[in-house]
């Protein structure tokens, strides 16, 4: 029998109901706090910022809610940046998807050594993107870069215009670095999907007379469609926000040939110090991503 | 054209040999059942015929053609998998039409054949459903449908009924047999259910640990098992076995165990002094409450309806007899057993091989 005093002691420290483990609050609090501090607050603050008109010379900000928003839609550099971003996203995503699926199909084997190959494959993912950018910068160097050397040898490029100096080739230069780094991520997702596919429908298909090619298009692809859609969504959103490679490798150049939306927002922020307009462009990017991603989810019926 | 000929077939997984030289001929149009305990290599053999497993050594021919290295798609076989292996992203109709789609068959013919198969298998109401919207039995029938629309040279079935409830199993058993009688397509059917084997097969192939123990018609295998394994494997309740030896009695050779002696068939090849196992099926032991015969004591009485299973002890051996009369048997009753002499099986105690009855 416990003495009544200790019960009295318990009573003193009894928690309010919303802090007990039956209540959702303690469970949701940490994650919600993170989201609020690092997600919601910046968005709302950007929104607030975007409603000011800043005079860079006098550094005076006046409350003009529609000023920056009308500027975004009239800004040719925004329109260019949208087109660069979309081009970049589309090309890089397509290459990564096709390569990723292809490599995953090759690596999907239980034969000896494939486990090692699979783990080697993901090595590029551990390199920080900025380092990747620097690495490729060196390899693209007009005088001693190994990739430039090969491209000269193949006659695809002449020493007078290094890859990152050409108006159209510069974007490709960045895409190649992105593909090198992020294709393994696609491979990883695709491999997880492929390895989880049941074996017996493929055996049934072989007996039904399907060639390997027919089995791929009629079984593998449809059975993988949900995973492919998810991979496209994740990588697509990531690619749309491309900043580090551009910043390190071309700094939006030559001219503004490789200026993506986030790169442009960065330029406005750091170079022009027009914080409200930079926030507006960043928010505009966010809105575009949300719209495109949701259209994609609707059209391809992605389920989480 | 649809025969299957297998010669000295061996399958190894790395250093592990699981089939040790299988010889088997399935004649065109026959229904052959591979029967054996779990892990004896039935599925492996079937999958090798289908081309889903490589051949380590030996030969497989379908019709006149050696198919060892032929891709499954070129063998013109149809297979029903134990776990259905349906295409989950296709409707029932598309599952069945799949093989014809690959061959770019005209739509009219596809429809006709799918509808034909659906009507045989009573699948018409489900044609537009997806596999996950079907019950196990319905999925089973879709897997069958996918096979029969094909018009193959050979049907391969791997325990196709093992996931069904008892009633559906009996029904499907009949449907498969009817289908075979109608289509007359060579069929190799794997099961570990002896009732399925007995009821469906033209020929039963009994396997154990990667070798064939006996091939024969169901009744032949039941009545004349070649060895102890087959004798024990077929029949439920199983054959009674008494170990003892052959002695010279007044009226000829006799079997003796303890102080019990039993008569042997007239021309049995067993030799006096030979250690043997004496086998008699429960239904060949006539049980009565009095009269002459071997004396046993009833231990358990199991009425099944058509018959009564009597378990008893005879000279220290557990023994089972089947009685058809509705007598009032009770545990500890005295029982008189009369084995039907011409139904006695003798096996050499060492080699476990049957000793010919003469
Ligand atoms: N991939 C494999 N690697 C190694 N051993 C295998 C492999 N597949 C099957 N075996 C072995 O081969 C033997 C035969 O297997 P199989 O699947 O043919 O048995 P089965 O007669 O069909 O049994 P069940 O009635 O349980 O289906 C088993 O002992 C099994 O362990
Ligand atoms: Mg099996």
């Amino acid at each position: 029998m416990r003495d009544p005093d200790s019960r009295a002691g318990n009573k003193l420290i009894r928690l309010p109901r919303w802090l007990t483990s039956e209540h959702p609050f303690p469970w949701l609090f940490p994650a919600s706090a993170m989201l609020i501090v690092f997600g919601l607050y910046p968005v709302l603050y950007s929104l607030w910022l975007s409603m000011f008109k800043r005079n860079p010379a006098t550094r005076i900000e006046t409350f003009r809610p529609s000023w920056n928003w009308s500027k975004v839609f009239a800004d040719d550099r925004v329109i260019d940046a949208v087109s660069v971003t979309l081009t970049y996203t589309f090309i890089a995503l397509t290459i990564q998807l096709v390569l990723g699926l292809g490599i995953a199909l090759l690596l999907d084997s239980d034969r000896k050594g494939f486990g090692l190959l699979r783990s080697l494959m993901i090595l590029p993912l551990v390199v920080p993107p900025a380092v990747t950018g620097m690495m490729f910068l060196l390899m693209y160097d007009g005088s001693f870069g190994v990739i430039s050397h090969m491209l000269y040898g193949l006659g695809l490029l002449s020493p007078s215009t290094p890859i990152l100096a050409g108006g159209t080739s510069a974007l490709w230069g960045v895409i190649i670095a992105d593909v090198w780094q992020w294709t393994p991520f696609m491979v990883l997702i695709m491999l997880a999907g492929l390895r989880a596919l049941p074996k017996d429908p493929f055996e049934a298909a072989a007996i039904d007379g399907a060639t390997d090619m027919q089995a791929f298009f009629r079984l593998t692809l449809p059975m993988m469609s949900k995973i492919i859609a998810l991979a496209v969504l994740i990588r697509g959103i990531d690619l749309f926000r491309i900043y580090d490679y551009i910043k390190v490798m071309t700094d939006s150049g030559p001219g503004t040939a490789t200026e993506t939306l986030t790169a442009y927002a960065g330029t406005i922020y750091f170079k022009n110090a027009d914080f409200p307009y930079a926030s507006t462009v960043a928010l505009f990017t966010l809105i575009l991503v949300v719209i495109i991603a949701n259209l994609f989810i609707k059209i391809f019926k992605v389920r989480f | 054209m649809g025969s299957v000929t297998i010669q000295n077939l061996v399958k190894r997984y790395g250093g592990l040999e699981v089939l040790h030289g299988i010889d088997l001929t399935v004649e065109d149009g026959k229904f052959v059942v591979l029967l054996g305990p779990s892990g004896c290599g039935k599925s492996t053999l079937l999958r090798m015929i289908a081309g889903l497993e490589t051949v380590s050594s030996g030969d497989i021919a379908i019709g006149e053609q050696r198919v060892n290295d032929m891709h499954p798609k070129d063998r013109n076989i149809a297979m029903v998998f134990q776990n259905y292996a349906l295409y989950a992203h296709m409707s029932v109709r598309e599952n069945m039409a799949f093989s014809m789609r690959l061959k770019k068959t005209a739509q009219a013919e596809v429809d006709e054949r799918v509808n034909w198969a659906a009507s045989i298998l009573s699948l018409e109401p489900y044609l537009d459903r997806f596999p996950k919207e079907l019950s196990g039995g319905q999925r089973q029938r879709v897997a069958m449908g996918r096979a029969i629309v094909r018009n193959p040279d050979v049907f391969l079935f791997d325990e196709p009924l093992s996931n069904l409830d008892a009633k559906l199993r009996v029904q499907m058993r009949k449907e498969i047999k009817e289908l075979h009688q109608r289509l007359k397509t060579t069929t190799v059917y794997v099961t570990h259910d002896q009732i399925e084997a007995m009821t469906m097969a033209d020929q039963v192939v009994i396997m154990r640990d990667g070798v064939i123990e006996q091939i024969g018609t169901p009744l032949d295998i039941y009545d004349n098992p070649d060895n102890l394994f087959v004798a024990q494997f077929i029949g439920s309740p199983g054959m009674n076995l008494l170990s003892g030896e052959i002695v010279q009695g007044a009226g000829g050779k006799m079997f003796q165990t303890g102080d019990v002696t039993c008569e042997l068939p007239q021309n049995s090849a067993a030799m006096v002094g030979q250690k043997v196992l004496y086998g008699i099926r429960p239904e060949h032991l006539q049980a009565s409450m009095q009269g002459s015969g071997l004396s046993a004591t009833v231990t358990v009485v199991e009425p099944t309806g058509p018959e009564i299973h009597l378990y008893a002890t005879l000279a220290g051996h557990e023994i089972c007899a089947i009685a058809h009369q509705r007598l009032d048997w009770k545990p500890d009753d005295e029982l008189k057993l009369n084995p039907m002499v011409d139904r006695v099986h003798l096996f050499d105690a060492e080699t476990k091989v049957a000793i010919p009855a003469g």
Side-chain angles (χ1 to χ4, degrees):
Chain A
M1 209 30 203
R2 290 211 250 139
D3 70 300
D5 274 349
S6 80
R7 247 190 281 162
N10 275 347
K11 211 163 206 166
L12 274 180
I13 57 158
R14 190 187 286 158
L15 294 169
R17 196 164 160 69
W18 59 274
L19 272 179
T20 59
S21 64
E22 297 103 87
H23 202 275
F25 181 81
W27 298 105
L28 292 178
F29 177 74
S32 320
M34 291 278 283
L35 269 180
I36 290 166
V37 173
F38 296 108
L40 196 58
Y41 171 73
V43 170
L44 292 179
Y45 186 65
S46 304
L47 197 62
W48 174 245
L49 257 186
S50 72
M51 292 176 184
F52 289 85
K53 176 191 173 197
R54 182 180 170 97
N55 183 331
T58 61
R59 298 189 195 166
I60 292 170
E61 291 179 353
T62 42
F63 188 71
R64 297 277 297 278
S66 61
W67 173 266
N68 288 312
W69 288 101
S70 26
K71 196 164 149 195
V72 164
F73 291 102
D75 189 343
D76 282 345
R77 269 178 85 169
V78 168
I79 295 173
D80 280 351
V82 169
S83 122
V84 170
T85 310
L86 285 177
T87 313
Y88 184 90
T89 305
F90 182 76
I91 295 176
L93 191 58
T94 310
I95 297 177
Q96 288 174 19
L97 184 65
V98 173
L99 270 185
L101 189 56
I103 295 173
L105 283 169
L106 290 178
L107 289 180
D108 179 20
S109 163
D110 287 320
R111 262 175 294 163
K112 229 180 154 161
F114 276 77
L116 182 69
L117 278 182
R118 284 195 290 267
S119 21
L120 285 181
M121 185 67 215
I122 58 172
L123 275 185
L125 285 175
V126 303
V127 181
V131 174
T132 303
M134 303 292 288
M135 229 165 64
F136 273 85
L137 210 52
L138 290 178
M139 291 194 284
Y140 287 151
D141 189 280
S143 45
F144 59 80
V146 57
I147 296 181
S148 297
H149 184 73
M150 290 189 323
L151 291 176
Y152 297 157
L154 291 171
L156 289 173
L157 216 62
S158 78
S160 57
T161 48
I163 187 166
L164 293 179
T168 46
S169 65
L171 196 64
W172 281 100
V174 185
I175 289 174
I176 289 170
D178 199 310
V179 166
W180 178 82
Q181 179 139 55
W182 290 102
T183 301
F185 180 76
M186 279 289 190
V187 175
L188 213 61
I189 297 186
M190 298 300 168
L191 259 177
L194 285 176
R195 306 239 91 197
L197 289 185
K199 290 254 184 315
D200 39 80
F202 291 90
E203 296 185 335
I207 284 170
D208 269 348
T211 60
D212 289 351
M213 207 53 131
Q214 286 170 322
F216 175 76
F217 282 108
R218 287 170 179 270
L219 297 188
T220 313
L221 272 189
M223 288 160 94
M224 288 277 291
S225 62
K226 294 271 182 285
I227 284 165
I228 292 175
L230 206 65
V232 165
L233 194 66
I234 297 172
R235 277 309 294 145
I237 292 173
D238 247 16
L239 282 162
F240 205 85
R241 307 178 298 143
I242 168 70
Y243 181 73
D244 18 29
Y245 300 117
I246 301 279
K247 191 69 198 160
V248 171
M249 295 175 72
T250 63
D251 200 9
S252 305
T256 57
T258 58
E259 188 170 71
T260 58
L261 277 168
T262 46
Y264 183 39
T267 303
I268 303 168
Y269 193 96
F270 293 112
K271 294 203 178 134
N272 308 358
D274 188 347
F275 311 131
Y277 189 45
S279 299
T280 316
V281 173
L283 275 178
F284 175 70
T285 311
L286 177 70
I287 293 166
L288 266 189
V289 168
V290 169
I291 291 175
I292 295 174
N294 277 294
L295 277 180
F296 182 84
I297 290 172
K298 274 267 143 46
I299 293 169
F300 290 94
K301 302 194 181 71
V302 185
R303 257 170 290 155
F304 301 100
Chain B
M1 135 209 129
S3 66
V4 176
T5 315
I6 294 168
Q7 279 171 339
N8 198 18
L9 190 71
V10 172
K11 176 66 188 177
R12 277 180 224 104
Y13 290 109
L16 179 71
E17 190 171 301
V18 298
L19 291 182
H20 318 281
I22 299 283
D23 289 295
L24 176 65
T25 303
V26 181
E27 283 165 37
D28 188 25
K30 283 282 188 284
F31 195 113
V32 168
V33 172
L34 303 181
L35 178 65
S38 187
C40 70
K42 308 178 297 283
S43 298
T44 307
L45 180 55
L46 199 70
R47 290 166 57 81
M48 286 169 90
I49 299 174
L52 298 172
E53 300 282 353
T54 55
V55 173
S56 301
S57 76
D59 281 309
I60 303 178
I62 296 177
E64 299 298 301
Q65 173 111 36
R66 184 174 174 273
V67 296
N68 282 31
D69 304 310
M70 195 186 265
H71 192 277
K73 74 180 160 60
D74 302 317
R75 298 191 184 198
N76 198 25
I77 42 169
M79 181 158 169
V80 177
F81 291 77
Q82 180 170 352
N83 47 1
Y84 320 136
L86 298 180
Y87 310 122
H89 58 287
M90 297 181 199
S91 65
V92 169
R93 187 189 301 279
E94 284 308 310
N95 262 279
M96 295 210 261
F98 186 72
S99 58
M100 291 182 283
R101 294 254 183 271
L102 296 174
K103 279 188 263 167
K104 311 231 180 318
T105 312
Q107 184 62 41
E109 194 189 334
V110 172
D111 288 341
E112 188 193 327
R113 291 201 62 83
V114 168
N115 290 335
W116 167 79
S119 74
I120 284 187
L121 298 162
S122 328
L123 278 172
E124 285 113 330
Y126 311 109
L127 280 177
D128 293 313
R129 292 210 201 162
F130 284 86
K132 66 166 186 283
E133 299 161 343
L134 299 177
S135 76
Q138 292 159 347
R139 284 180 214 183
Q140 178 55 57
R141 281 179 279 164
V142 177
M144 295 273 299
R146 197 169 59 180
I148 65 173
V149 294
R150 289 272 313 278
N151 226 332
D153 289 344
V154 181
F155 275 126
L156 305 175
F157 295 93
D158 193 354
E159 306 198 22
L161 309 185
S162 57
N163 291 346
L164 307 188
D165 69 44
K167 188 158 172 244
L168 198 54
R169 192 177 308 179
V170 173
Q171 185 188 328
M172 287 297 297
R173 204 162 75 196
K174 207 171 115 268
E175 277 177 39
I176 293 175
K177 192 163 180 174
E178 271 175 11
L179 200 70
H180 178 255
Q181 283 162 0
R182 184 162 3 166
L183 302 179
K184 304 230 173 0
T185 307
T186 313
T187 303
V188 183
Y189 186 106
V190 165
T191 181
H192 57 226
D193 178 354
Q194 51 167 308
I195 305 290
E196 263 172 44
M198 300 298 281
T199 52
M200 298 168 87
D202 291 323
Q203 287 224 298
V204 179
V205 177
I206 310 268
M207 290 181 67
R208 174 170 64 153
D209 291 345
V211 296
I212 292 180
E213 293 282 347
Q214 188 170 358
I215 303 177
T217 63
L219 293 180
D220 187 31
I221 289 212
Y222 187 82
D223 292 336
N224 305 303
D226 277 353
N227 55 46
L228 188 63
F229 173 77
V230 176
Q232 283 179 303
F233 193 73
I234 300 285
S236 171
M239 183 185 283
N240 296 301
L241 290 162
L242 309 174
S243 61
E245 69 180 305
I246 307 291
V247 295
Q248 188 65 50
K253 283 175 283 188
M254 304 279 278
F255 167 80
Q256 183 173 43
T257 176
D259 50 9
V260 176
T261 51
C262 311
E263 272 182 77
L264 295 183
Q266 283 277 291
N267 303 316
S268 175
M271 284 172 303
V272 174
Q274 196 175 0
K275 295 255 183 293
V276 296
L277 289 160
Y278 173 98
I280 183 91
R281 293 202 182 276
E283 66 270 31
H284 300 143
L285 266 181
Q286 287 165 329
S288 50
M289 287 183 127
Q290 60 254 318
S292 65
L294 309 169
S295 293
T297 315
V298 177
T299 52
V300 176
V301 180
E302 283 183 350
T304 63
E307 57 203 25
I308 300 170
H309 296 172
L310 299 167
Y311 292 89
T313 41
L314 171 74
H317 294 280
E318 203 33 66
I319 203 164
C320 176
I322 291 178
H324 294 274
Q325 320 91 300
R326 296 290 198 256
L327 293 177
D328 187 22
W329 310 98
K330 281 188 297 295
D332 295 331
D333 276 358
E334 178 85 346
L335 189 64
K336 294 290 178 196
L337 294 172
N338 283 298
M340 295 159 71
V341 176
D342 53 342
R343 298 305 193 115
V344 167
H345 306 269
L346 285 181
F347 304 94
D348 185 279
E350 235 155 71
T351 62
K352 315 278 196 246
V353 174
I355 299 167

